[in-house]
Amino acid sequence: MIRVVVVDDEALVRSGFELILSAADDIDVVATATGAQAVGTIVRVRPDVVLLDIRMPDTDGLTVLRELRALDAPPVVAMLTTFDSDEYILTALRSGAAGFILKDTAPEQLAHLVRTLDAGGVVLSPKASSAIVDGAHGAVEDDPQVRRVGLLTDRERTVLRLIAEGLSNADIAARLHLSPGTVKDHASSILGKLRVSGRVQAALLAQRAGLLTAKGTERHHPSHDTGPRP
């Protein structure tokens, strides 16, 4: 079972997500909480996945995220928002969130997104505005982070591109005819060479380095997949 905690300041949102996710046979919503209750609840129930409201009046979602990332064994965290152009999204992604989910995401998609998060995937809403990716690009000339992509082997660059496209380790293994263990080793090596803490940061860096356009494909968001653990 995938253990989930939903954190939101609105009781209706918490109960709605709990009702939808609990209908899945492999997902157990073990708790819901407000922002002020979040860290204590999560430490107590130790979920696999946390869905965390990015803006809350009592305790800001980014503050909760930073506290969770400081735990010895932090859960996978995806931010919940009502806005696909939320100014805090990039900050959250760079702080270790495994993606974000719009609160009006179709109910039938939610269980799939939670499974993707639990499998180590990044989840970025399909409705995300291009401004989110554009904001991740910034100036790439003479960017030391972008230059680190040149340290990757050809195979690692391929794996990084597939991570940025939203594939999990299992998906990448099937695509490249490799074992999941080999892909995990490649992913760990990529994170080390790029000096990033997770797969979301690696995916954003791949976008800035132009890897998603390297083969003539349109630039796009990594739409359902790849989270902060290798």
Side-chain angles (χ1 to χ4, degrees), residues 52-56 60-62 79-82 86 88-89 92:
L52 173 63
D53 190 3
I54 201 168
R55 297 191 188 212
M56 294 178 288
D60 182 76
L62 294 178
M79 311 306 292
L80 297 174
T81 178
T82 56
D86 195 305
Y88 296 136
I89 287 173

Side-chain angles (χ1 to χ4, degrees), residues 14-26:
R14 297 195 302 270
S15 60
F17 272 71
E18 181 177 16
L19 180 64
I20 293 167
L21 292 173
S22 295
D25 293 338
D26 58 340

Side-chain angles (χ1 to χ4, degrees), residues 5 29 42 60 83 86 88-89 99 108 111 126 138 140 163 201 208 222:
V5 168
V29 178
I42 290 164
D60 182 76
F83 309 101
D86 195 305
Y88 296 136
I89 287 173
E108 60 271 17
V140 298
I163 286 174
Q201 292 84 355
R208 289 169 57 195

Side-chain angles (χ1 to χ4, degrees), residues 155 158-159 161-180 183 212 215 217 220 225:
R155 175 65 82 186
T158 298
V159 171
R161 179 171 56 81
L162 295 176
I163 286 174
E165 288 181 359
L167 276 67
S168 66
N169 284 351
D171 294 331
I172 295 171
R175 176 80 63 87
L176 300 181
H177 306 290
L178 299 172
S179 72
V183 173
L212 297 187
K215 295 201 172 186
T217 57
H220 62 285
D225 295 26

